[in-house]
Amino acid sequence: MRCPSFEHLSRRALLKGTLATGAGGSLINWGSLFNSQVIANEVKKTQKRCILLWMNGGASQFETFDMKPGRPTGGLFRPISTNLAGVQVCELMPKISQCMDKLTVIRSMRTSQVDHPGGIHLMHTGYAQAAGIRFPEIGAVIAKYLGRDGSDLPNFIKIFSHGNTGAGFLGPKYQPFSLNPEGRLPTFSTSSLKPEIESRRNSLRNFVEDIYARRHKAETVRMHREAYEAARRLQNVQSVFKIDNEWEKYRDLYGDSAFGRRCLMARRLIEEGVPFVEVGQSSYDSHADNFVWHRALVPPMEHAWAGLMADLEQRGLLEHTLVVWMGEIGRTPKVNNRSGRDHYVRSWSTALAGCGVKGGVVYGESDKDGVDVKDNPVTEGDFFATIYQALGIDPDTEHYNGVRPIPIAPFGSSVVQDVLV
Amino acid sequence: MQINKPTHRWQLNFEGEWPTSVTFLGDSRRVAAGNRAGQIFIWELPETPPTVEPVAEKSKESKRSTPPDLAPIRRLDGHSNSVTHLVSTADGKTLISSSLDRTIRLWDVNATPSGSAEVVLDSQDRVRKARYRSKDEKAAILEAPGIKVETVSAVAELKGHRDWVGSLGFSRDEKRLISGDATSLVIIWEFDALAPHCKELARWTGHPWNWVVAAALSPDGKNALVSEYTYKRDDFDIPAAALKIWNTADGVERLDLLKLQFPKLDVASTTYGAAQVWRKFVAGGLIAADLSPDGTIVAVGQGGETDTGKVHLFDVESGKLVRTVSGHRYGVCDVKFSADGKFVLSSGRDTMVRICLAADGKEVASLGKERGGQFKDWIHSIAISPDQQTVAGADIAGLIHVWQL
């Protein structure tokens, strides 16, 4: 099997690390060559990961990536040229228009759930809701396959969380850890006790739990201990969540918005090795006043998104980080009498960038009014299969819910090979 | 303005994109209207509308009569995106339009036409009429030729804005114009009726996130009322609105009406309860504004999709809220004072025009009737004729209504 070059440590980094480690005494931690900070950093860099930019409520394809200028469905915005010859996007996205060489835009999404709860479940799991089965979110799957056991940071983090499916049948180990809309830690995650008191309390709890665990072999006991352990480890990395100083430096790059701060936080977490971070922006459900809503929501979003990709690229992380842009639904071609667009899933758009996907690709096509997919329809299953493939996870990998095999991308899904490197 | 027994005189078809703006040109029988595609048409209405026989669309329905339709005579070509406002000189010779295409255009409505065009402005009406007809009759109705109109080009194009021009106002002395855009930029223009042309006098910007959603000038053009608003950029944003009176000569702020209304409220760091009070007052933006003919009272209408859109009246001198009048379910679209300052006319998302007394807020008349399902269509814009006895409304259902008061 051929591995892309970025999957390997660079020779320069290996040498640098080896030499630095070999220099011996100057390093505190010198037991193993691969414990050197340089190599550890390089390993962190090459680890695959994913950032999901979640447009809650369903951003309009007509006001982003699939404009229909001059058509009755076209709306009020005008297209602008991009750095991809012959491709136009909405004028609300001037910064993303200059990143199109890094993006794969899919203009032919055709999905199956037209309402919000169903759509949010579908586009977080790849599956429609089903009685008796709790499907895992994409973040949980990625946490399982790309996460690091024993990491101080959680492997699945949501900033301004949407959807509550969580780890589903994968179990509590892969449950998401949610930050608030400001990207701050939830209050329960910070101890109000002095460290020495906290430590004594931990010892006592461990002692009691050890006794309990010897008598009760239940899985929940182990999970409870793991959860406490994860919370305790989180205390070691509280500084990662404090972005005020860095924000001053990066405000212009990400744009002065709450979504921009969340994206900066996502980059910090990714840089620290978190394999999956979801960043949400809400309020796209524009049944009324679609155009002014998008006029307010899209510019800060696209500014932050473009800034995030530039920052990831500058740090050498973009080629290992898949950035997924999507919501749960698209919006109707017809503008209703509230100047709004309603829910629509027969033809809408998503975008991918970074790890494993080509840049400068517009895949699929909708018809002249954006009513239906004209070429290359992509279902939710195909989309998820493609994401997993891009991240090096076999989409046919099966889990078992009881005796029932459940692949991580639904049976019959096809990877959209044309968009993958 | 004298309100007798309002009658619906004309119902002009303007189908296609939404009609967004309407104005009278010099008298009550010349009407201009613009739509969301950037088209502007001019109608000349005869003194007496023809009698229209009541018809029933379905055989079992009782017969209903609708006011007569009339074809426009001219189309003003140039805008490439939605027309947002139309204002005209009192003599009706010059029309001024603002647009989402980022321009303001001046039109000599009597200019020699540059060409002609055939247009169909009643395509939906044709479909309705063709229902329950034989195949041949249906074809004849649907494929009937359109109407022929003269086309006219603009005499001047003002390019001072770099974003959607969503606001336009004209001083009653016709010397100054105000325009505002989606970057919060306000421009004051000196209007030259002879050219006709405009020269920029002053410009200023508000909050960088805000848009100018409404603007109006005092009768002498010395004071400007500017309403800013931004729709939320994120879920927990509190709308950053502003409502201020500015000195047009130098762009210096004179009065912050919302600050006076909410002196203790800091929008950036407020409590949930205070934010709710703020939201209730500002609603989806104070998106319509007018100054009374004597320049002493400001009227602003609550827009966006709100519960019941009201019109706030402020005293210009003290900046205090005088009273709140009217009430359009789901929001106000436009607001105008009558020339005598006694009445406040407003239109909204309930397909209605409401006429209230400025003195006590009492509603004295309403034009139109609520139409549609849960959500009605909108009367997007209203105009009052120079003789004050005719009101026109731009209806997003593709109609221009003309009522005689």
Side-chain angles (χ1 to χ4, degrees), chain B residues 5 48 76 78 81 87 114 130 134 210 304 339 344 353 391 399 404-405:
Chain B
K5 190 182 173 194
T48 311
L76 311 187
N81 203 343
V87 295
S114 53
S134 69
N210 280 354
V344 179
V353 176
V391 172
L399 298 165
Q404 179 101 40
L405 297 180

Side-chain angles (χ1 to χ4, degrees), chain A residues 69 104 260 263 361 363 407:
Chain A
T104 277
C263 284
V361 173
Y363 184 82

Side-chain angles (χ1 to χ4, degrees), chain A residues 8-292:
Chain A
H8 303 284
L9 296 180
S10 76
R11 184 166 165 268
R12 184 186 296 257
L14 186 65
L15 274 175
K16 198 174 159 189
T18 306
L19 287 172
T21 310
S26 62
L27 289 172
I28 297 167
N29 183 10
W30 96 284
S32 158
L33 283 179
F34 285 88
N35 275 346
S36 95
Q37 195 58 43
V38 176
I39 293 176
N41 285 343
E42 195 67 14
V43 170
K44 266 188 191 173
K45 266 190 183 179
T46 54
Q47 176 208 353
K48 291 179 178 178
R49 59 207 102 187
C50 179
I51 297 175
L52 168 58
L53 303 179
W54 179 260
M55 306 294 106
N56 200 55
S60 167
Q61 64 278 21
F62 298 100
E63 277 68 59
T64 49
F65 287 111
D66 197 10
M67 301 207 73
K68 300 295 174 188
R71 301 299 306 170
T73 55
L76 297 178
F77 300 108
R78 297 292 175 259
I80 53 172
S81 299
T82 67
N83 63 355
L84 204 58
V87 175
Q88 295 181 312
V89 295
C90 181
E91 63 182 321
L92 297 177
M93 303 202 297
K95 290 187 183 294
I96 284 297
S97 77
Q98 299 309 304
C99 300
M100 287 294 284
D101 58 334
K102 298 184 183 70
L103 291 182
T104 277
V105 172
I106 298 175
R107 284 179 172 164
S108 53
M109 292 298 298
R110 183 187 285 165
T111 54
S112 59
Q113 299 293 313
V114 79
D115 62 337
H116 296 296
I120 289 170
H121 183 280
L122 185 79
M123 297 309 287
H124 273 92
T125 64
Y127 284 88
Q129 288 166 308
I133 303 179
R134 293 200 64 224
F135 295 101
E137 290 185 26
I138 180 174
V141 174
I142 290 171
K144 176 171 180 178
Y145 289 100
L146 301 182
R148 294 175 301 169
D149 279 341
S151 164
D152 285 348
L153 283 162
N155 285 312
F156 175 12
I157 296 182
K158 285 183 161 194
I159 312 174
F160 195 16
S161 171
H162 294 95
N164 58 0
T165 308
F169 57 66
L170 292 185
K173 183 177 178 183
Y174 304 108
Q175 274 293 97
F177 180 78
S178 292
L179 305 184
N180 75 8
E182 299 297 313
R184 296 204 175 94
L185 285 168
T187 47
F188 70 78
S189 63
T190 309
S191 173
S192 57
L193 301 174
K194 289 179 180 172
E196 60 271 23
I197 299 174
E198 182 68 41
S199 176
R200 285 210 306 272
R201 185 175 278 198
N202 264 325
S203 301
L204 177 60
R205 188 177 53 245
N206 285 339
F207 173 73
V208 174
E209 282 191 341
D210 280 345
I211 296 168
Y212 188 84
R214 279 198 293 274
R215 293 176 187 167
H216 305 82
K217 297 295 182 191
E219 179 75 350
T220 47
V221 176
R222 185 181 60 80
M223 290 170 184
H224 184 255
R225 298 194 69 175
E226 281 181 4
Y228 259 106
E229 183 58 23
R232 196 185 59 72
R233 287 200 309 270
L234 194 62
Q235 306 305 313
N236 302 334
V237 285
Q238 296 258 339
S239 61
V240 176
F241 298 93
K242 291 173 182 160
I243 67 167
D244 285 349
N245 291 339
E246 198 175 15
W247 176 242
E248 291 307 314
K249 188 176 163 195
Y250 285 91
R251 188 197 302 268
D252 288 345
L253 181 64
Y254 284 84
D256 188 8
S257 67
F259 189 71
R261 280 181 69 100
R262 287 174 212 147
C263 284
L264 175 62
M265 175 61 80
R267 190 272 285 155
R268 285 171 67 98
L269 294 169
I270 286 289
E271 196 168 33
E272 290 299 321
V274 177
F276 184 90
V277 182
E278 176 180 330
V279 183
Q281 189 196 24
S282 196
S283 300
Y284 279 100
D285 193 20
S286 50
H287 291 282
D289 299 310
N290 171 74
F291 302 103
V292 288

Side-chain angles (χ1 to χ4, degrees), chain B residues 290-306:
Chain B
D290 198 15
L291 271 146
S292 64
D294 62 3
T296 59
I297 303 286
V298 158
V300 285
Q302 295 179 320
E305 194 168 274
T306 186

